[in-house]
């Protein structure tokens, strides 16, 4: 028995003696306070039991008669109960905390078990630690088939390097932005998933990864459908442009020839009035041609984005009086969907400026930065509250959704900066093949 | 009062540690009249200890009122500890373990709540605190 316990034992012995000589409640209170003190020192109930055993033995050995021994035992028991009561209180606290913990755990378990997104945890060596039931519904795998195993065979081989890099990022304690991975289902089909992953820490150390994965099959399908729709729209526009340019154009040409013939048979003063009509007709012809080019500029296919944008800017400028400058060059030719997307976005942006911005100047700027083509469209107009406009959906959203969707299709991003009163700038970045700023050339 | 009184209530003024012993003794006496098993006598005494201890520590002066009560044939002991001390600014907080050093061990007011069958606390900040705790005979 160490010094600390011996000291407590002496105190306990005094309390027992006092109790035996009839000091009643005061002695019981002393025993209670002793128990309290023992607890506060971080000692345990067993220490109190040891103390009581020692003190009681000594006391009993001095008992002259069995009767006195029985009295000592009975009284010592009461004292012992007093000294244990602080521990009883402490024990009840632990029980209450445990119940609360169990309830809290149950609440979270329910949440995880009924979640519609997959909730997973990984150990630091990339093994799956836990999965919630919806994993089975989405992938067709049983959870037991994967818990304790490496996560890597679940990921599409092409996505695996990215997944591995992201795991390292999280294990380094950082939270990467949401990412997409294709997950192999039991049937062998790949399911597109949108993932979040955050480090799980314990005492400041990363001990694993906690993440949520959402099945985005429906969203992907919708994006696909939208892409199809955009392509169909492009086709339709081509058809209309063709009808305007070729068919209506040819008809107008015939009218010209017809008018020229009529003019020959007319007296000079009437012929002059006819010339005015022919002048108007020429203007119509010109506008039709321009319109058809803007709709679907063959120039975009034949000569590339830069000449097409310049042509577009020229047309809009002439129609609206906006002063439009095109700076920089987009560089090497890009795949048709990317060029079309950029053309349409610039077109949409110019329409926005014309309709809403009350601007007098627009600058379209191209810059190539490695594998990224940056295109900005800035104006000096009224500007707008970006967040408010982005929150508005559909037709009142300045067609920003349409722009965003077009960019999604080609893997691009959109940033808008605007200060009300000082104009607005749309900044578009699309990934392109690395390479120099080759001259625009017809696509083969 | 919510319950019928079986005997006259006992009031013990709490001024010092010695009064704690006296209050414990009176409480134990009442509870044993009522036929409480010996461990429950110790429980009642403990509740009185903790409540009276709070009075001595935080309010300096107060009173413990002890009552034998009857609720349709069910008998019990009611301990009321009242003081005109500074009061408790935030009772919910005070009832959490860890609010005080003793509380972090499960002692103090939260400990009394867990030991006893019923527990009520009322405090007007600046006007003192009244704690009522009951233990029913099993």
């Amino acid at each position: 028995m160490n010094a600390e316990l011996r000291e407590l034992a002496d105190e306990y012995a005094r309390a027992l003696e006092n109790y035996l000589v009839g000091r009643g409640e005061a002695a019981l209170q002393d025993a209670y306070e002793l128990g309290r003190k023992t607890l506060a020192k971080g000692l345990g109930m067993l220490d109190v039991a040891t103390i009581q055993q020692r003190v009681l033995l000594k006391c009993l050995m001095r008992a002259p008669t069995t009767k006195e021994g029985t009295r000592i035992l009975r009284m010592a028991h009461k004292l012992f109960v007093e000294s244990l009561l602080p521990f009883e209180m402490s024990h009840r606290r632990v029980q209450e905390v445990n119940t609360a913990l169990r309830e809290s755990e149950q609440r979270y378990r329910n949440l995880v078990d009924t979640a519609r997104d997959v909730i997973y945890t990984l150990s630091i060596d990339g093994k799956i630690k836990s999965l919630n039931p919806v994993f089975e519904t989405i992938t067709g795998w049983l959870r037991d088939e994967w818990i304790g195993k490496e996560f890597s065979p679940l990921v599409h081989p092409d996505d695996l390097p990215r997944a591995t890099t992201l795991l390292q990022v999280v294990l380094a304690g950082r939270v990467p932005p949401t990412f997409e991975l294709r997950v192999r289902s039991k049937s062998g089909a790949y399911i597109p998933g949108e993932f979040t992953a955050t480090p799980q820490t314990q005492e400041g150390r990363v001990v694993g990864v906690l993440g949520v994965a959402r099945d985005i099959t429906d969203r992907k399908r919708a994006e696909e459908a939208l892409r199809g729709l955009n392509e169909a729209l492009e086709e339709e526009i081509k058809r209309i442009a063709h009808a305007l340019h070729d068919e209506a154009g040819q008809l107008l040409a015939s009218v010209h020839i017809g008018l020229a013939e009529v003019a020959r048979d007319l007296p000079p003063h009437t012929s002059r009035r006819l010339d005015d009509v022919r002048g108007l007709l020429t203007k119509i012809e010109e506008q039709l041609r321009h319109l058809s080019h803007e709709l679907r500029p063959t120039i975009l296919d034949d000569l590339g984005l830069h000449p097409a944008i310049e042509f577009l800017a020229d047309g809009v400028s002439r129609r609206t009086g906006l002063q439009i400058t095109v700076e920089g060059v987009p560089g090497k030719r890009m795949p048709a969907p990317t060029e079309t997307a950029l053309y349409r976005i610039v077109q949409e942006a110019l329409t926005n400026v014309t309709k809403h911005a009350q601007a007098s100047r627009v600058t379209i700027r191209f810059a190539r930065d490695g594998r990224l083509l940056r295109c900005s469209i800035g104006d000096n107009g009224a500007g707008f509250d970006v967040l408010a406009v982005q929150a508005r959906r559909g037709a009142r959203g300045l067609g920003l959704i349409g722009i965003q969707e077009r960019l999604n299709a080609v893997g691009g991003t959109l940033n808008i900066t605007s200060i009300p009163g000082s104009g607005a700038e749309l900044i578009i970045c699309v990934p392109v093949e690395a390479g120099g700023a080759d001259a625009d050339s017809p696509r083969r | 009062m919510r319950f019928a009184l079986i005997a006259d209530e006992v009031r013990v003024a709490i001024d010092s540690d010695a009064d704690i012993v006296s209050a414990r003794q009176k409480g134990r006496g009442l509870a044993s009249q009522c036929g409480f098993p010996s461990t429950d006598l110790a429980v009642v005494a403990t509740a009185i200890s903790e409540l009276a201890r709070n009075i001595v520590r935080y309010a300096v002066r107060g009173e413990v009122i002890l009552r034998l009560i009857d609720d349709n044939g069910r008998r019990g002991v009611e301990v009321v500890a009242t003081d005109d001390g500074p009061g408790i600014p935030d009772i919910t907080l005070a009832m959490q373990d860890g609010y005080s050093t003793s509380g972090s061990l499960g002692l103090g007011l939260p400990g009394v709540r867990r030991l006893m069958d019923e527990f009520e606390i009322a405090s007007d900040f600046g006007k003192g605190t009244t704690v009522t705790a009951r233990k029913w005979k099993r």
Side-chain angles (χ1 to χ4, degrees), chain A residues 24-29 32-33 36 39-40 77-78 81-82 85-94 96-97, chain B residues 20-21 24-25 28 38-39 42-43 45-46 49-50 53 97 102-108 111-115 135:
Chain A
E25 196 62 47
L28 292 176
Q29 163 80 355
Y32 174 72
E33 288 297 331
R36 221 176 181 276
L39 177 68
H77 172 72
K78 276 172 117 181
V81 168
E82 288 293 335
L85 259 154
F87 291 92
E88 172 69 16
M89 267 197 275
S90 208
H91 172 65
R92 291 192 188 193
R93 172 183 178 240
V94 172
E96 203 175 271
V97 169
Chain B
I20 300 180
V21 174
R24 279 170 58 101
Q25 191 173 22
R28 198 188 294 270
S38 73
T39 45
V43 162
T46 298
S49 266
E50 292 296 321
R53 189 192 180 92
D97 298 296
S102 56
S104 63
L105 296 168
L107 308 172
V112 173
R113 176 177 64 74
R114 292 192 195 97
L115 275 186
K135 185 86 189 164

Short mmCIF file of all heavy atoms in Angstrom, two decimals, chain A residues 24-29 32-33 36 39-40 77-78 81-82 85-94 96-97, chain B residues 20-21 24-25 28 38-39 42-43 45-46 49-50 53 97 102-108 111-115 135:
data_model
loop_
_atom_site.label_atom_id
_atom_site.label_comp_id
_atom_site.label_asym_id
_atom_site.label_seq_id
_atom_site.Cartn_x
_atom_site.Cartn_y
_atom_site.Cartn_z
N GLY A 24 -21.93 8.85 15.24
CA GLY A 24 -23.03 8.79 14.27
C GLY A 24 -22.81 9.51 12.95
O GLY A 24 -21.84 9.28 12.25
N GLU A 25 -23.71 10.43 12.63
CA GLU A 25 -23.78 11.06 11.33
C GLU A 25 -22.47 11.76 10.94
O GLU A 25 -22.07 11.73 9.78
CB GLU A 25 -24.94 12.06 11.29
CG GLU A 25 -25.34 12.50 9.90
CD GLU A 25 -25.84 11.34 9.03
OE1 GLU A 25 -26.67 10.54 9.51
OE2 GLU A 25 -25.40 11.23 7.88
N ALA A 26 -21.83 12.36 11.94
CA ALA A 26 -20.57 13.06 11.63
C ALA A 26 -19.55 12.08 11.06
O ALA A 26 -18.83 12.40 10.10
CB ALA A 26 -20.02 13.73 12.90
N ALA A 27 -19.51 10.87 11.64
CA ALA A 27 -18.57 9.86 11.14
C ALA A 27 -18.98 9.40 9.75
O ALA A 27 -18.13 9.19 8.87
CB ALA A 27 -18.53 8.68 12.10
N LEU A 28 -20.27 9.23 9.52
CA LEU A 28 -20.76 8.82 8.20
C LEU A 28 -20.41 9.87 7.16
O LEU A 28 -19.98 9.57 6.05
CB LEU A 28 -22.27 8.58 8.24
CG LEU A 28 -22.74 7.37 9.07
CD1 LEU A 28 -24.26 7.30 9.11
CD2 LEU A 28 -22.18 6.07 8.50
N GLN A 29 -20.62 11.14 7.53
CA GLN A 29 -20.27 12.24 6.63
C GLN A 29 -18.77 12.21 6.31
O GLN A 29 -18.37 12.43 5.17
CB GLN A 29 -20.68 13.58 7.28
CG GLN A 29 -20.03 14.82 6.69
CD GLN A 29 -20.71 15.28 5.40
OE1 GLN A 29 -21.60 14.61 4.90
NE2 GLN A 29 -20.29 16.42 4.88
N TYR A 32 -18.18 9.58 3.81
CA TYR A 32 -18.64 10.07 2.51
C TYR A 32 -17.61 11.01 1.89
O TYR A 32 -17.25 10.88 0.71
CB TYR A 32 -19.99 10.77 2.67
CG TYR A 32 -20.47 11.41 1.39
CD1 TYR A 32 -20.92 10.63 0.33
CD2 TYR A 32 -20.43 12.80 1.23
CE1 TYR A 32 -21.33 11.22 -0.85
CE2 TYR A 32 -20.83 13.38 0.05
CZ TYR A 32 -21.28 12.59 -0.99
OH TYR A 32 -21.67 13.16 -2.17
N GLU A 33 -17.14 11.96 2.68
CA GLU A 33 -16.14 12.92 2.19
C GLU A 33 -14.85 12.22 1.79
O GLU A 33 -14.18 12.62 0.83
CB GLU A 33 -15.84 13.98 3.26
CG GLU A 33 -16.98 14.97 3.48
CD GLU A 33 -17.28 15.82 2.24
OE1 GLU A 33 -16.34 16.07 1.44
OE2 GLU A 33 -18.45 16.22 2.06
N ARG A 36 -15.40 10.76 -1.55
CA ARG A 36 -15.40 11.87 -2.51
C ARG A 36 -13.97 12.28 -2.87
O ARG A 36 -13.64 12.51 -4.03
CB ARG A 36 -16.11 13.05 -1.86
CG ARG A 36 -17.02 13.83 -2.77
CD ARG A 36 -17.73 14.91 -1.98
NE ARG A 36 -18.64 15.66 -2.84
CZ ARG A 36 -18.25 16.66 -3.61
NH1 ARG A 36 -17.01 17.03 -3.62
NH2 ARG A 36 -19.14 17.30 -4.38
N LEU A 39 -12.23 9.63 -4.95
CA LEU A 39 -12.67 9.75 -6.35
C LEU A 39 -11.97 10.92 -7.04
O LEU A 39 -11.47 10.79 -8.17
CB LEU A 39 -14.20 9.94 -6.38
CG LEU A 39 -14.85 10.17 -7.75
CD1 LEU A 39 -14.77 8.89 -8.58
CD2 LEU A 39 -16.31 10.58 -7.59
N ALA A 40 -11.91 12.06 -6.35
CA ALA A 40 -11.31 13.26 -6.93
C ALA A 40 -9.82 13.06 -7.19
O ALA A 40 -9.26 13.63 -8.12
CB ALA A 40 -11.53 14.45 -5.99
N HIS A 77 -20.23 -1.80 7.63
CA HIS A 77 -20.92 -1.88 6.34
C HIS A 77 -21.57 -0.55 5.97
O HIS A 77 -21.45 -0.07 4.84
CB HIS A 77 -21.97 -2.99 6.38
CG HIS A 77 -22.83 -3.01 5.17
ND1 HIS A 77 -22.37 -3.43 3.94
CD2 HIS A 77 -24.12 -2.63 4.98
CE1 HIS A 77 -23.35 -3.30 3.05
NE2 HIS A 77 -24.41 -2.83 3.66
N LYS A 78 -22.24 0.07 6.96
CA LYS A 78 -22.90 1.36 6.71
C LYS A 78 -21.88 2.42 6.29
O LYS A 78 -22.12 3.21 5.39
CB LYS A 78 -23.63 1.83 7.98
CG LYS A 78 -25.02 1.23 8.12
CD LYS A 78 -25.60 1.58 9.47
CE LYS A 78 -26.86 2.42 9.35
NZ LYS A 78 -27.39 2.77 10.70
N VAL A 81 -20.72 1.80 2.71
CA VAL A 81 -21.70 2.27 1.72
C VAL A 81 -21.54 3.78 1.52
O VAL A 81 -21.54 4.27 0.39
CB VAL A 81 -23.14 1.92 2.17
CG1 VAL A 81 -24.17 2.65 1.32
CG2 VAL A 81 -23.36 0.42 2.11
N GLU A 82 -21.35 4.52 2.61
CA GLU A 82 -21.17 5.98 2.51
C GLU A 82 -19.96 6.31 1.64
O GLU A 82 -20.03 7.19 0.79
CB GLU A 82 -20.97 6.59 3.90
CG GLU A 82 -22.21 6.63 4.76
CD GLU A 82 -23.28 7.57 4.23
OE1 GLU A 82 -22.94 8.52 3.49
OE2 GLU A 82 -24.47 7.35 4.54
N LEU A 85 -20.67 5.87 -2.07
CA LEU A 85 -21.71 6.64 -2.78
C LEU A 85 -21.19 7.62 -3.83
O LEU A 85 -21.77 7.74 -4.90
CB LEU A 85 -22.63 7.32 -1.79
CG LEU A 85 -23.91 6.48 -1.69
CD1 LEU A 85 -24.59 6.64 -0.37
CD2 LEU A 85 -24.86 6.81 -2.84
N PRO A 86 -20.09 8.32 -3.57
CA PRO A 86 -19.56 9.18 -4.64
C PRO A 86 -19.26 8.38 -5.91
O PRO A 86 -19.50 8.86 -7.02
CB PRO A 86 -18.28 9.74 -4.02
CG PRO A 86 -18.51 9.70 -2.56
CD PRO A 86 -19.33 8.47 -2.32
N PHE A 87 -18.78 7.15 -5.74
CA PHE A 87 -18.48 6.31 -6.91
C PHE A 87 -19.76 5.90 -7.62
O PHE A 87 -19.81 5.81 -8.84
CB PHE A 87 -17.68 5.07 -6.48
CG PHE A 87 -16.29 5.41 -6.03
CD1 PHE A 87 -16.02 5.66 -4.70
CD2 PHE A 87 -15.27 5.51 -6.96
CE1 PHE A 87 -14.75 6.00 -4.29
CE2 PHE A 87 -13.98 5.83 -6.56
CZ PHE A 87 -13.72 6.09 -5.21
N GLU A 88 -20.81 5.68 -6.81
CA GLU A 88 -22.11 5.33 -7.39
C GLU A 88 -22.60 6.49 -8.27
O GLU A 88 -23.05 6.29 -9.39
CB GLU A 88 -23.11 5.03 -6.27
CG GLU A 88 -24.56 4.84 -6.72
CD GLU A 88 -24.79 3.56 -7.51
OE1 GLU A 88 -23.91 2.68 -7.46
OE2 GLU A 88 -25.83 3.47 -8.21
N MET A 89 -22.46 7.72 -7.75
CA MET A 89 -22.89 8.89 -8.54
C MET A 89 -22.10 8.96 -9.84
O MET A 89 -22.65 9.20 -10.91
CB MET A 89 -22.65 10.17 -7.72
CG MET A 89 -23.86 10.59 -6.93
SD MET A 89 -23.72 12.31 -6.40
CE MET A 89 -22.81 12.12 -4.90
N SER A 90 -20.81 8.77 -9.71
CA SER A 90 -19.94 8.84 -10.88
C SER A 90 -20.31 7.76 -11.89
O SER A 90 -20.35 8.00 -13.10
CB SER A 90 -18.50 8.65 -10.42
OG SER A 90 -17.63 9.31 -11.27
N HIS A 91 -20.60 6.57 -11.36
CA HIS A 91 -20.98 5.45 -12.21
C HIS A 91 -22.27 5.75 -12.98
O HIS A 91 -22.37 5.48 -14.18
CB HIS A 91 -21.16 4.21 -11.33
CG HIS A 91 -21.73 3.04 -12.04
ND1 HIS A 91 -21.07 2.41 -13.06
CD2 HIS A 91 -22.92 2.38 -11.90
CE1 HIS A 91 -21.81 1.41 -13.51
NE2 HIS A 91 -22.94 1.38 -12.82
N ARG A 92 -23.23 6.37 -12.27
CA ARG A 92 -24.50 6.70 -12.95
C ARG A 92 -24.28 7.73 -14.06
O ARG A 92 -24.98 7.73 -15.06
CB ARG A 92 -25.51 7.23 -11.94
CG ARG A 92 -25.97 6.14 -11.01
CD ARG A 92 -27.16 6.56 -10.21
NE ARG A 92 -27.44 5.54 -9.20
CZ ARG A 92 -28.56 5.49 -8.51
NH1 ARG A 92 -29.50 6.40 -8.70
NH2 ARG A 92 -28.75 4.54 -7.63
N ARG A 93 -23.32 8.59 -13.83
CA ARG A 93 -23.01 9.56 -14.88
C ARG A 93 -22.50 8.83 -16.13
O ARG A 93 -22.93 9.11 -17.25
CB ARG A 93 -21.95 10.54 -14.40
CG ARG A 93 -21.49 11.41 -15.53
CD ARG A 93 -20.39 12.35 -15.16
NE ARG A 93 -20.06 13.07 -16.36
CZ ARG A 93 -18.87 13.05 -16.94
NH1 ARG A 93 -17.89 12.38 -16.39
NH2 ARG A 93 -18.67 13.71 -18.04
N VAL A 94 -21.61 7.89 -15.92
CA VAL A 94 -21.05 7.13 -17.04
C VAL A 94 -22.17 6.39 -17.78
O VAL A 94 -22.23 6.38 -19.01
CB VAL A 94 -19.97 6.14 -16.55
CG1 VAL A 94 -19.53 5.22 -17.67
CG2 VAL A 94 -18.79 6.90 -15.98
N GLU A 96 -25.28 7.23 -17.91
CA GLU A 96 -26.10 8.20 -18.65
C GLU A 96 -25.39 8.63 -19.94
O GLU A 96 -25.99 8.71 -21.00
CB GLU A 96 -26.37 9.41 -17.76
CG GLU A 96 -27.60 10.19 -18.14
CD GLU A 96 -27.86 11.30 -17.14
OE1 GLU A 96 -28.56 11.05 -16.16
OE2 GLU A 96 -27.36 12.43 -17.36
N VAL A 97 -24.09 8.88 -19.82
CA VAL A 97 -23.31 9.28 -20.99
C VAL A 97 -23.33 8.18 -22.04
O VAL A 97 -23.50 8.42 -23.23
CB VAL A 97 -21.85 9.62 -20.58
CG1 VAL A 97 -20.97 9.76 -21.80
CG2 VAL A 97 -21.82 10.89 -19.76
N ILE B 20 -24.22 20.60 7.81
CA ILE B 20 -24.42 19.56 6.80
C ILE B 20 -24.67 18.23 7.51
O ILE B 20 -25.61 17.49 7.18
CB ILE B 20 -23.20 19.45 5.86
CG1 ILE B 20 -22.97 20.78 5.14
CG2 ILE B 20 -23.40 18.31 4.86
CD1 ILE B 20 -21.80 20.78 4.18
N VAL B 21 -23.85 17.96 8.51
CA VAL B 21 -24.00 16.71 9.28
C VAL B 21 -25.39 16.65 9.91
O VAL B 21 -26.09 15.64 9.83
CB VAL B 21 -22.91 16.61 10.37
CG1 VAL B 21 -23.16 15.39 11.24
CG2 VAL B 21 -21.53 16.54 9.74
N ARG B 24 -28.03 15.95 7.31
CA ARG B 24 -27.95 14.54 6.91
C ARG B 24 -28.65 13.66 7.95
O ARG B 24 -29.43 12.76 7.61
CB ARG B 24 -26.49 14.11 6.80
CG ARG B 24 -25.80 14.50 5.51
CD ARG B 24 -24.30 14.24 5.59
NE ARG B 24 -24.02 12.84 5.88
CZ ARG B 24 -23.64 11.95 4.95
NH1 ARG B 24 -23.47 12.33 3.71
NH2 ARG B 24 -23.41 10.71 5.29
N GLN B 25 -28.37 13.95 9.21
CA GLN B 25 -28.91 13.15 10.30
C GLN B 25 -30.44 13.20 10.30
O GLN B 25 -31.12 12.18 10.35
CB GLN B 25 -28.37 13.67 11.61
CG GLN B 25 -28.65 12.78 12.78
CD GLN B 25 -27.93 13.28 14.02
OE1 GLN B 25 -27.58 14.48 14.10
NE2 GLN B 25 -27.71 12.40 14.98
N ARG B 28 -31.81 11.36 7.27
CA ARG B 28 -31.69 9.91 7.42
C ARG B 28 -32.77 9.40 8.39
O ARG B 28 -33.40 8.36 8.16
CB ARG B 28 -30.30 9.56 7.94
CG ARG B 28 -29.92 8.10 7.74
CD ARG B 28 -28.62 7.80 8.45
NE ARG B 28 -27.47 8.49 7.88
CZ ARG B 28 -26.72 7.98 6.90
NH1 ARG B 28 -26.98 6.79 6.42
NH2 ARG B 28 -25.70 8.66 6.44
N SER B 38 -31.39 0.48 3.88
CA SER B 38 -30.25 1.25 4.40
C SER B 38 -29.45 1.92 3.28
O SER B 38 -28.94 3.01 3.45
CB SER B 38 -29.36 0.36 5.26
OG SER B 38 -28.64 -0.53 4.42
N THR B 39 -29.35 1.27 2.12
CA THR B 39 -28.58 1.92 1.05
C THR B 39 -29.29 3.19 0.57
O THR B 39 -28.64 4.18 0.24
CB THR B 39 -28.39 0.98 -0.16
OG1 THR B 39 -29.63 0.34 -0.44
CG2 THR B 39 -27.32 -0.06 0.11
N ALA B 42 -28.56 6.05 2.75
CA ALA B 42 -27.29 6.65 2.39
C ALA B 42 -27.44 7.56 1.16
O ALA B 42 -26.78 8.59 1.06
CB ALA B 42 -26.25 5.56 2.13
N VAL B 43 -28.32 7.15 0.25
CA VAL B 43 -28.56 7.96 -0.95
C VAL B 43 -29.17 9.31 -0.56
O VAL B 43 -28.72 10.37 -1.03
CB VAL B 43 -29.49 7.20 -1.93
CG1 VAL B 43 -30.11 8.16 -2.95
CG2 VAL B 43 -28.71 6.11 -2.65
N ALA B 45 -28.94 10.78 2.32
CA ALA B 45 -27.92 11.54 3.04
C ALA B 45 -26.93 12.17 2.05
O ALA B 45 -26.51 13.33 2.21
CB ALA B 45 -27.19 10.63 4.01
N THR B 46 -26.60 11.43 1.02
CA THR B 46 -25.68 11.94 0.01
C THR B 46 -26.26 13.16 -0.71
O THR B 46 -25.58 14.17 -0.90
CB THR B 46 -25.38 10.84 -1.03
OG1 THR B 46 -24.76 9.76 -0.36
CG2 THR B 46 -24.46 11.36 -2.12
N SER B 49 -26.02 16.03 1.51
CA SER B 49 -24.62 16.48 1.54
C SER B 49 -24.29 17.38 0.37
O SER B 49 -23.75 18.47 0.55
CB SER B 49 -23.68 15.27 1.46
OG SER B 49 -23.30 14.85 2.73
N GLU B 50 -24.62 16.92 -0.80
CA GLU B 50 -24.24 17.67 -2.02
C GLU B 50 -24.98 19.00 -2.10
O GLU B 50 -24.41 20.01 -2.48
CB GLU B 50 -24.50 16.83 -3.28
CG GLU B 50 -23.59 15.61 -3.41
CD GLU B 50 -22.11 15.97 -3.57
OE1 GLU B 50 -21.79 16.95 -4.26
OE2 GLU B 50 -21.26 15.28 -2.96
N ARG B 53 -23.75 21.30 0.72
CA ARG B 53 -22.40 21.69 0.37
C ARG B 53 -22.41 22.86 -0.61
O ARG B 53 -21.64 23.81 -0.49
CB ARG B 53 -21.75 20.47 -0.29
CG ARG B 53 -20.28 20.56 -0.55
CD ARG B 53 -19.91 19.41 -1.47
NE ARG B 53 -18.50 19.45 -1.75
CZ ARG B 53 -17.59 18.80 -1.04
NH1 ARG B 53 -17.95 18.03 -0.04
NH2 ARG B 53 -16.31 18.90 -1.33
N ASP B 97 -22.58 18.03 -16.61
CA ASP B 97 -21.37 17.56 -15.95
C ASP B 97 -20.21 18.38 -16.48
O ASP B 97 -20.16 18.70 -17.65
CB ASP B 97 -21.13 16.09 -16.29
CG ASP B 97 -22.27 15.24 -15.78
OD1 ASP B 97 -22.45 15.18 -14.57
OD2 ASP B 97 -22.98 14.65 -16.62
N SER B 102 -16.49 19.28 -9.38
CA SER B 102 -17.15 18.10 -8.85
C SER B 102 -18.08 17.51 -9.91
O SER B 102 -18.22 16.31 -10.02
CB SER B 102 -17.93 18.44 -7.59
OG SER B 102 -18.85 19.48 -7.85
N GLY B 103 -18.67 18.42 -10.71
CA GLY B 103 -19.60 17.96 -11.75
C GLY B 103 -18.92 17.05 -12.76
O GLY B 103 -19.52 16.09 -13.24
N SER B 104 -17.66 17.32 -13.03
CA SER B 104 -16.98 16.50 -14.04
C SER B 104 -16.81 15.06 -13.57
O SER B 104 -16.58 14.17 -14.36
CB SER B 104 -15.63 17.13 -14.39
OG SER B 104 -14.81 17.11 -13.25
N LEU B 105 -16.93 14.85 -12.25
CA LEU B 105 -16.87 13.48 -11.74
C LEU B 105 -18.28 12.89 -11.62
O LEU B 105 -18.44 11.74 -11.23
CB LEU B 105 -16.21 13.47 -10.36
CG LEU B 105 -14.74 13.90 -10.32
CD1 LEU B 105 -14.30 14.14 -8.89
CD2 LEU B 105 -13.86 12.86 -10.99
N GLY B 106 -19.27 13.69 -11.94
CA GLY B 106 -20.65 13.20 -11.81
C GLY B 106 -21.25 13.54 -10.46
O GLY B 106 -22.30 13.04 -10.11
N LEU B 107 -20.55 14.39 -9.67
CA LEU B 107 -21.06 14.77 -8.36
C LEU B 107 -21.85 16.07 -8.50
O LEU B 107 -22.24 16.45 -9.59
CB LEU B 107 -19.89 14.93 -7.38
CG LEU B 107 -18.92 13.73 -7.29
CD1 LEU B 107 -17.71 14.06 -6.45
CD2 LEU B 107 -19.64 12.51 -6.73
N GLY B 108 -22.08 16.75 -7.37
CA GLY B 108 -22.77 18.04 -7.44
C GLY B 108 -24.21 17.89 -7.86
O GLY B 108 -24.81 16.82 -7.71
N GLY B 111 -25.19 15.01 -10.07
CA GLY B 111 -25.11 13.76 -9.33
C GLY B 111 -26.36 13.54 -8.50
O GLY B 111 -26.90 12.42 -8.46
N VAL B 112 -26.83 14.61 -7.87
CA VAL B 112 -28.06 14.51 -7.07
C VAL B 112 -29.23 14.12 -7.97
O VAL B 112 -30.04 13.26 -7.64
CB VAL B 112 -28.34 15.84 -6.35
CG1 VAL B 112 -29.69 15.79 -5.65
CG2 VAL B 112 -27.23 16.16 -5.36
N ARG B 113 -29.31 14.75 -9.12
CA ARG B 113 -30.40 14.44 -10.07
C ARG B 113 -30.42 12.94 -10.39
O ARG B 113 -31.48 12.32 -10.45
CB ARG B 113 -30.22 15.24 -11.36
CG ARG B 113 -31.26 14.91 -12.42
CD ARG B 113 -31.11 15.76 -13.68
NE ARG B 113 -29.84 15.53 -14.39
CZ ARG B 113 -29.57 14.45 -15.12
NH1 ARG B 113 -30.44 13.46 -15.20
NH2 ARG B 113 -28.40 14.33 -15.72
N ARG B 114 -29.24 12.36 -10.57
CA ARG B 114 -29.19 10.94 -10.97
C ARG B 114 -29.48 10.00 -9.81
O ARG B 114 -29.99 8.92 -10.02
CB ARG B 114 -27.81 10.62 -11.55
CG ARG B 114 -27.58 11.31 -12.87
CD ARG B 114 -26.35 10.75 -13.57
NE ARG B 114 -25.97 11.66 -14.63
CZ ARG B 114 -25.03 12.59 -14.50
NH1 ARG B 114 -24.37 12.70 -13.36
NH2 ARG B 114 -24.76 13.40 -15.50
N LEU B 115 -29.11 10.44 -8.58
CA LEU B 115 -29.33 9.56 -7.43
C LEU B 115 -30.80 9.52 -7.03
O LEU B 115 -31.31 8.49 -6.60
CB LEU B 115 -28.52 10.06 -6.23
CG LEU B 115 -27.07 9.62 -6.11
CD1 LEU B 115 -26.51 10.11 -4.78
CD2 LEU B 115 -26.93 8.10 -6.19
N LYS B 135 -37.05 11.20 -3.20
CA LYS B 135 -36.72 9.78 -3.32
C LYS B 135 -37.93 9.02 -2.80
O LYS B 135 -38.41 9.28 -1.69
CB LYS B 135 -35.48 9.45 -2.48
CG LYS B 135 -34.99 8.03 -2.64
CD LYS B 135 -34.07 7.92 -3.82
CE LYS B 135 -33.75 6.48 -4.12
NZ LYS B 135 -33.17 6.33 -5.48
#
